[in-house]
């Protein structure tokens, strides 16, 4: 099945996108309701944009992000961890990948790679940052293959049951040889 990657009007497709995230990330209805409000608020930020992956006309993956702002909640949480590692400067002039999710039935087919490279190719910033669950996973392997490196590990977010790693990469992201 051919995947099509393109701009996504995320506010108009938020429920469809969160359905993908719920399956990919194991979210319950209460968590989805909270994330819905967060996504809609994020998409109002200057420079926020989203891309989707569709197969047979159905959304099977999405990514969204925005230029980082130190006043945003995420930045205020990760900043002390980055400072402790000497990496606080990564919060400036960075494009943050806020969410990237691909439905499990469509994983390992290049959708995640295509989504993240497409969105970062539109960034004016010289680097990208993101957070991912701090465990060895296909997502972390993908990020490393794209040039992301650990900037801080064992980052604790309020209400998150597991620690995260903050990763950063210069842009453009690495491509396969």
């Amino acid at each position: 099945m051919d995947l099509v990657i393109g701009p996504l009007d995320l506010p108009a497709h938020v429920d469809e996108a969160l359905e993908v995230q719920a399956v990919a990330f194991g979210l319950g209805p209460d968590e989805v309701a909270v994330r819905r409000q967060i996504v809609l608020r994020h998409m109002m930020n200057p420079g926020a944009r989203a891309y989707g992956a569709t197969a047979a006309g159905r959304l099977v993956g999405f990514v969204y992000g925005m230029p980082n702002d130190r006043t945003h909640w995420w930045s205020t949480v990760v900043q002390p961890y980055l400072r402790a590692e000497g990496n606080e400067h990564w919060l400036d002039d960075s494009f943050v990948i806020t969410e990237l999710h691909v439905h499990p039935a469509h994983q390992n087919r290049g959708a995640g790679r295509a989504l993240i490279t497409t969105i970062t190719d539109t960034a004016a910033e010289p680097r990208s940052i993101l957070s991912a669950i701090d465990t060895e996973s296909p997502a972390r392997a993908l990020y490393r293959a794209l040039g992301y490196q650990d900037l801080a590990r064992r980052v604790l977010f309020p209400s998150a049951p597991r620690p995260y790693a903050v990763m950063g990469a210069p842009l453009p992201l690495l491509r396969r040889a």
Side-chain angles (χ1 to χ4, degrees), residues 5-122:
I5 306 296
L8 175 65
D9 180 353
L10 189 53
H13 296 276
V14 66
D15 294 321
E16 204 178 343
L18 288 175
E19 186 178 309
V20 170
Q21 184 175 359
V23 173
F25 216 55
L27 302 178
D30 291 345
E31 292 169 297
V32 168
V34 169
R35 288 179 186 247
R36 185 179 198 280
Q37 299 309 313
I38 292 169
V39 168
L40 293 174
R41 187 176 69 243
H42 281 162
M43 291 308 295
M44 292 171 36
N45 285 307
R49 53 196 172 279
Y51 286 82
T54 55
R58 183 162 174 81
L59 188 70
V60 299
F62 75 101
V63 63
Y64 82 92
M66 65 196 90
N68 193 54
D69 182 329
R70 281 179 176 257
T71 66
H72 291 165
W73 176 83
W74 182 85
S75 287
T76 65
V77 173
V78 304
Q79 185 266 340
Y81 295 92
L82 291 172
R83 183 189 314 129
E85 297 296 329
N87 289 321
E88 183 179 2
H89 63 281
W90 278 84
L91 292 172
D92 301 316
D93 299 319
S94 291
F95 186 82
V96 66
I97 301 299
T98 309
E99 299 287 351
L100 170 61
H101 299 286
V102 176
H103 190 285
H106 295 272
Q107 291 176 0
N108 301 311
R109 298 182 189 179
R113 177 184 297 271
L115 285 165
I116 195 169
T117 56
T118 299
I119 197 168
T120 57
D121 281 352
T122 69

